[in-house]
Amino acid sequence: MRYVVAGAVLRERGGTTELLLAQRSYPEAVAGLWELPGGKAEDGEDLADALRRELLEELEITVEVGAGLAERVVLRDDLTMLARWARILRGTPHAVEHRGLRWVGPDDLERMARTGELVPADEVWVPELAAVLRDD
Ligand code: C5P
């Protein structure tokens, strides 16, 4: 089994918590849609290490990786996607491979899910993400 590990990167801004979303530039089917940034772990690679590597490559940030979100997504028979909470230790996110980046609160996130602006596979995380964004 191979894994895609995505990061639910949070920041605090003026007493509210925001989540980092990244806009895909490829492939055609999902280009323009927003996702939790991340990517495939190498064979045998620790998943937290994989997420740190991917976010450094894609966004030029160093993150601290926390617990996992509850839901996992079966993308293909041999490919499962999961997500981990993360916080930035160093750097400011830059869209190296993505079309754009944005920080969202719970209302923005839920609106984007309703209007089909998220990568479909990531919609499963919206309730848990929105709950944490409201709670923190
Ligand atoms: O980002 P990358 O192309 O390496 O992702 C590998 C696979 O995982 C792709 O099929 C992509 O659509 C999927 N993915 C996803 N949601 C994410 C990250 C990746 O559905 N947040």
Side-chain angles (χ1 to χ4, degrees):
M1 179 60 67
R2 300 287 305 272
Y3 292 94
V4 173
V5 54
V9 180
L10 300 180
R11 76 170 182 189
E12 306 298 327
R13 264 300 146 98
T16 67
T17 305
E18 295 176 327
L19 170 75
L20 182 62
L21 292 180
Q23 189 177 31
R24 287 200 68 105
S25 55
Y26 71 94
E28 186 70 34
V30 289
L33 300 182
W34 295 82
E35 68 173 5
L36 300 187
K40 284 198 188 75
E42 313 282 357
D43 273 334
E45 186 180 25
D46 176 81
L47 295 178
D49 288 343
L51 182 58
R52 280 191 288 270
R53 177 181 53 71
E54 287 285 348
L55 296 188
L56 189 58
E57 287 170 9
E58 291 184 358
L59 304 175
E60 300 179 326
I61 53 174
T62 301
V63 298
E64 174 182 56
V65 177
L69 278 72
E71 300 289 339
R72 288 176 169 223
V73 183
V74 177
L75 293 174
R76 298 193 315 244
D77 283 354
D78 60 341
L79 192 64
T80 295
M81 183 169 71
L82 48 84
R84 302 278 297 265
W85 299 105
R87 283 182 192 274
I88 298 175
L89 295 175
R90 278 188 301 281
T92 301
H94 293 287
V96 176
E97 295 174 13
H98 288 90
R99 199 175 278 179
L101 301 174
R102 60 186 297 194
W103 291 97
V104 298
D107 295 343
D108 288 333
L109 180 68
E110 288 174 339
R111 182 187 45 72
M112 291 171 77
R114 276 199 305 275
T115 54
E117 292 173 78
L118 300 183
V119 169
D122 291 32
E123 288 172 5
V124 68
W125 292 314
V126 169
E128 185 175 1
L129 291 166
V132 167
L133 291 170
R134 288 204 169 91
D135 251 36
D136 262 19

